[in-house]
Amino acid sequence: MSLVHHAGRHVVPLFVGLALLFGGLLILTVPPFGGSDELYHWFRIQQIADGTLLAERRGDNDWGGPVDAAAVAFDLALFGKIAIDKTPLSAAEVARLAAELDRQPAATVDLGFASTASFPPLAYAPSSAGLWLAWALGGDPLAQFLAARAGNLLAYGMTMGAVIGLLPAGRLALTALALSPVALHQAASLSADPLNLTIPLLLAAALWSTRRAAGPISIGRKTGIAVLCMALAGLKPLSPIFALLLILLPGDHMGGARNKALYGGLLAAVTVALSIAWQAAHPFQPGLFWGISTDRPTAVLAALAAAPAHALGMAWSSLASLSVILPMDGYFRIGGHAAPYVFPPGLSLPPMTVADAETAMAGGRALVLLIPALSVWSALVTLAALDGREAPDRRGAGVLGTVALLFSALLFAAFWLAYTPIASPMILGLQGRYFLLPAALALMAVSIASRPRAGWTVTLRGALFGALLAANAAVILWSAAYYHTLWDWTALL
């Protein structure tokens, strides 16, 4: 029988194998520092690998500290070619530069990189471990860079594989999403996104599987849930909202509703308190750092309150424009820069500046990829609905869906208040990759609310899963061919 037919039984090893295969390809094909914000992630990863978990405060909205001088020079040289000169890279020249920098005497450079230095170290643990291992084995900056990407990919494969393995239903849809080009690109980069995506999903999957377990919840399971929940405080600032998933805990397995409320309430309170403590000690306003907005969140909020009609109009225009851009950006985009170092060529990027917003609202968007993107998202939802469970849990599905919507709304609010200037016609800075997590929760919600299908729908389910995997592979291979015109990555093999 076909692999697709057996995918439901063997989906975890299938996912891990394909993630390592295509993620490993992306490690090589996307140019060094060509991923999203890798310039700044690199500094934070170097800092943590050197043993400095807490960044130094350098001033208002400024965090950083000493970073290896060779690593800084390697970063700035390649970033200049990609983001400023926008010229092709030679793998031989990059390798030569890395070897030369590796021979230099050890030194450090003190610099600021607040966009990553203000984050807790947890999400950078896999990439920092990979970098440290390469350094310990005598690797130069290029080897360290590739090893850091590999550390992220391995962590993503293990944690997402655990998520898929815990799910009682919806495995195929989540596997297809987890192997999508954007998800694998982030996993195979220096981004902090891999654990920011998988830890909340691991908590959701553990709680969902707990609802199906028979008898009281063991101490070991309670401890695991507690660790996952408190780990949310070590991720991005909005992550503690996923502590609301503790509502999924079954009261009858906890010794009653009172015990559930005490356990869940205390755990959520500790998680939120830890997050607030970190944010209070490491305040950061992204709009100010990136030079997009000098308006403080309090000023933006006051302006919105003073003109509610304008605020509603801005919210509507943002939703209308981003509902076209984000589906494409959230599936296709591989690369974190403007053309030519972005794939696919001609892709409409989310507005990051006021000028971008004005262009987007004037209709300056390439929509050629919109129908393929919407087709993929529709196929994912259909696949989730066809991959239900024997006894649908609509209450649990409601919790997952509500948390997904709440997190999405908070994303809009956060970028509105902390990144978007008052004068902007729409909300800036939102990217498709930020919505992979609520999309995954939404797919889980669809599956948990659906019954398993029989007959011809089983064939349709297998066909959809196979088609989605084929689409993912085709886009990633297409990106490898595209980036080969800018970066001769085959010379690394």
Side-chain angles (χ1 to χ4, degrees), residues 247-288:
I247 297 172
L248 290 170
L249 280 170
D252 55 344
H253 291 3
M254 295 289 295
R258 183 172 180 271
N259 287 343
K260 170 186 173 178
L262 286 173
Y263 173 82
L266 179 61
L267 190 51
V270 170
T271 301
V272 172
L274 289 173
S275 179
I276 290 175
W278 179 274
Q279 301 309 322
H282 301 81
F284 173 64
Q285 182 182 341
L288 185 63

Side-chain angles (χ1 to χ4, degrees), residues 61-136:
N61 207 53
D62 191 10
W63 300 87
V67 178
D68 179 70
V72 173
F74 184 66
D75 183 323
L76 297 180
L78 271 62
F79 185 79
K81 285 183 173 293
I82 291 173
I84 300 173
D85 299 338
K86 300 181 180 180
T87 54
L89 291 177
S90 164
E93 291 180 5
V94 170
R96 190 179 307 114
L97 171 64
E100 291 174 358
L101 291 171
D102 193 49
R103 290 192 292 268
Q104 293 183 358
T108 60
V109 176
D110 188 77
L111 73 166
F113 42 100
S115 63
T116 56
S118 61
F119 288 162
L122 175 61
Y124 291 108
S127 52
S128 296
L131 187 151
W132 181 87
L133 181 60
W135 170 82

Side-chain angles (χ1 to χ4, degrees), residues 376-400:
V376 167
W377 291 111
S378 299
L380 283 168
V381 174
T382 304
L383 180 58
L386 294 174
D387 198 19
R389 49 175 294 178
E390 292 294 339
D393 183 356
R394 291 184 173 84
R395 182 181 177 187
V399 172
L400 290 170

Side-chain angles (χ1 to χ4, degrees), residues 321-410:
S321 183
L322 291 174
S323 64
V324 174
I325 296 175
L326 292 181
M328 297 184 289
D329 189 68
Y331 179 75
F332 282 105
R333 178 149 66 117
I334 295 177
H337 301 278
Y341 282 94
V342 65
F343 171 87
L347 177 70
S348 289
L349 300 179
M352 305 299 290
T353 67
V354 173
D356 293 341
E358 291 171 345
T359 300
M361 295 187 67
R365 300 185 295 255
L367 303 181
V368 65
L369 294 174
L370 181 58
I371 291 178
L374 292 178
S375 298
V376 167
W377 291 111
S378 299
L380 283 168
V381 174
T382 304
L383 180 58
L386 294 174
D387 198 19
R389 49 175 294 178
E390 292 294 339
D393 183 356
R394 291 184 173 84
R395 182 181 177 187
V399 172
L400 290 170
T402 300
V403 172
L405 285 173
L406 182 57
F407 178 74
S408 299
L410 288 175

Side-chain angles (χ1 to χ4, degrees), residues 202-213 215-229 242-268 393 395-397 399-400 403 448:
L202 196 52
L203 175 62
L207 291 168
W208 186 0
S209 66
T210 298
R211 291 173 70 85
R212 300 179 67 248
I217 301 174
S218 67
I219 294 297
R221 185 176 286 256
K222 287 181 181 178
T223 302
I225 290 172
V227 170
L228 287 172
C229 188
F242 295 108
L244 287 174
L245 292 170
L246 292 170
I247 297 172
L248 290 170
L249 280 170
D252 55 344
H253 291 3
M254 295 289 295
R258 183 172 180 271
N259 287 343
K260 170 186 173 178
L262 286 173
Y263 173 82
L266 179 61
L267 190 51
D393 183 356
R395 182 181 177 187
V399 172
L400 290 170
V403 172
I448 198 175

